[in-house]
Amino acid sequence: MTAFDSVASDSLELTAHDVHFAYAARRVLRGVTLTVRPEEVVSLLGANGSGKTTLLRLLLGLARPRSGFVSLNGKPLTHYPRRELAQYLAYVPQNHVTPFPYTVREIVVLGRLPHTGLVRSATRRDHHVAMAMLERLGIVDLANRPYTEISGGERQLALLARALAQDPRILVMDEPVSGLDYGNQLRFLALMRGLAADGYAVVTATHHPEQTLLASTRVALLCDGVIVLDGPPADVVTPSTIRQVYRVEVRALCAPTGEVIGFHPDATGRSTASAAGETASSVVRV
């Protein structure tokens, strides 16, 4: 099976088990447990310094927790050779600029390294996979363009194509739309939903509550290094939780169907939730 086919929805699980992490004396994560499965888009939502990027690094095996562990299919990540792990997990960074004028095709072919190794040249099949990823994402016309000369949105799509060329099962993304304009943000979020529908497991970090409503099947709310809520976006992303995490008062903006589609600052400065739940004044219909 290749990355441009649907990924089988099997029992694959990536799990952080009660992980703790600290930089010197500063505790960043405190007893975090999280599982990511196929056909999910799990968004880590939290303010700056809440531990989102650190948790992604642990899930990728790029850092080790002070206590607890991360497992893939029940096997600790530390028991996997790095090359084998890269055939399961792929990373899409927040931004990436290479100092060398590689073509977009060459950047995407680099995603085949877990399969080819460092000493063997890319094969015809590797180039075929790379072109298939570019075609799938609608940027095949960029294949021979210098990566350094394309737009930020195009670069982000090229990085996603590189990740897919690894033929992974799990995609880990650190604020992948932060540098994109509004249109490209919406298109990229739609791609994330489509990848989950194809059977990939997707875990991403974001600062923006509205993005979780658009793309996620689950939201894990991080506050001071702890996951305080984990569930469907409509249950997790509310005016009261936004107040808890970001310390601002907002009102929910709802579509005619009643679905929350965004938030607006509450100019009154009053509480937007009662002890029993959201009040009528915390909802604005649009």
Side-chain angles (χ1 to χ4, degrees):
M1 179 178 292
T2 62
F4 49 90
D5 296 318
S6 292
V7 180
S9 296
D10 51 24
S11 59
L12 182 74
E13 286 190 352
L14 179 66
T15 302
H17 304 264
D18 191 28
V19 296
H20 293 250
F21 189 88
Y23 294 104
R26 185 171 70 89
R27 298 176 68 189
V28 179
L29 295 174
R30 297 180 291 138
V32 168
T33 295
L34 180 76
T35 297
V36 183
R37 302 178 182 88
E39 301 183 8
E40 288 189 319
V41 178
V42 179
S43 289
L44 307 179
L45 177 66
N48 290 330
S50 60
K52 301 184 302 297
T53 296
T54 298
L55 180 54
L56 293 184
R57 287 178 55 80
L58 295 179
L59 291 173
L60 287 164
L62 298 178
R64 292 191 181 185
R66 174 170 290 185
S67 63
F69 67 99
V70 178
S71 68
L72 178 65
N73 283 351
K75 179 179 175 181
L77 293 192
T78 53
H79 294 182
Y80 284 88
R82 193 71 220 175
R83 183 172 169 184
E84 181 183 355
L85 195 59
Q87 295 177 32
Y88 287 100
L89 302 171
Y91 176 52
V92 180
Q94 184 175 355
N95 51 58
H96 171 264
V97 179
T98 174
F100 304 105
Y102 294 114
T103 66
V104 170
R105 184 209 307 258
E106 288 169 334
I107 289 290
V108 177
V109 168
L110 290 174
R112 299 299 297 166
L113 282 175
H115 303 275
T116 64
L118 292 172
V119 296
R120 185 169 68 84
S121 299
T123 65
R124 180 178 298 178
R125 169 174 169 72
D126 296 325
H127 284 278
H128 172 72
V129 171
M131 291 300 291
M133 295 303 97
L134 292 171
E135 185 171 358
R136 173 175 184 168
L137 298 182
I139 55 171
V140 69
D141 57 312
L142 301 178
N144 296 317
R145 292 268 304 277
Y147 177 79
T148 52
E149 296 179 9
I150 61 178
S151 71
E154 291 167 338
R155 279 200 302 270
Q156 206 63 17
L157 289 173
L159 292 175
L160 178 57
R162 183 183 68 178
L164 293 175
Q166 285 182 221
D167 198 16
R169 295 297 178 266
I170 302 168
L171 295 165
V172 180
M173 307 184 185
D174 190 4
E175 300 185 43
V177 302
S178 64
L180 307 186
D181 64 41
Y182 185 67
N184 280 321
Q185 285 184 18
L186 295 182
R187 283 185 278 273
F188 200 96
L189 293 171
L191 280 171
M192 288 166 54
R193 293 196 304 269
L195 290 166
D198 285 346
Y200 289 91
V202 181
V203 57
T204 183
T206 181
H207 295 294
H208 303 288
E210 289 84 0
Q211 292 175 5
T212 68
L213 296 173
L214 286 169
S216 309
T217 58
R218 276 174 52 212
V219 177
L221 192 68
L222 269 165
C223 187
D224 297 325
V226 176
I227 293 181
V228 294
L229 283 173
D230 183 352
D235 295 341
V236 173
V237 187
T238 66
S240 62
T241 57
I242 289 174
R243 183 177 67 250
Q244 177 185 3
V245 171
Y246 297 102
R247 298 178 176 83
V248 294
E249 302 288 349
V250 296
R251 295 187 180 190
L253 301 176
C254 291
T257 59
E259 180 184 13
V260 176
I261 57 174
F263 300 93
H264 189 274
D266 184 359
T268 66
R270 294 176 300 181
S271 173
T272 55
S274 66
E278 305 302 326
T279 63
S281 64
S282 68
V283 176
V284 178
R285 299 194 180 276
V286 296

